[in-house]
Amino acid sequence: MSLPDQDVRDRIVAARGVNLAVEAGAGTGKTTLLVERVADLVRTGTPLSRLAVITFTRKAAAELEARLVRRLAEARAAREPWAARALDDLR
């Protein structure tokens, strides 16, 4: 099932060479979108150390990190070599 704003979400994930601010209400998928963007940036060669992902609270930052670790672990289990490197970088 595709979301009504899926085209915008896809452009956010795929955008390169730009900084983005994602603003939306609670429960709209911001964290999921940011996790996918970070995963895609890392998959295409951007080191985690070159990324700044900013949230407004420590709780949101912890949730973002937990979801990113889970996403990277899933990719590593699927034998994606970029994911193993990224997980190592997080440690």
Side-chain angles (χ1 to χ4, degrees):
M1 182 173 98
S2 185
L3 298 170
D5 63 347
Q6 191 62 51
D7 61 324
V8 174
R9 292 169 185 265
D10 293 343
R11 287 196 314 257
I12 289 169
V13 169
R16 297 295 182 267
V18 295
N19 297 319
L20 298 172
V22 177
E23 183 180 357
T28 58
K30 293 179 302 295
T31 302
T32 299
L33 179 65
L34 289 171
V35 166
E36 286 309 311
R37 178 166 168 77
V38 169
D40 197 60
L41 285 164
V42 172
R43 183 186 61 78
T44 58
T46 303
L48 278 174
S49 62
R50 301 276 303 155
L51 300 176
V53 182
I54 300 168
T55 65
F56 286 105
T57 66
R58 288 188 173 125
K59 181 180 177 185
E63 177 65 20
L64 182 65
E65 182 180 21
R67 288 195 202 182
L68 181 58
V69 167
R70 190 167 44 247
R71 172 69 174 86
L72 294 173
E74 290 168 359
R76 182 181 61 190
R79 306 259 189 246
E80 298 285 347
W82 60 269
R85 287 190 302 272
L87 278 169
D88 288 344
D89 289 347
L90 279 175
R91 294 186 171 108

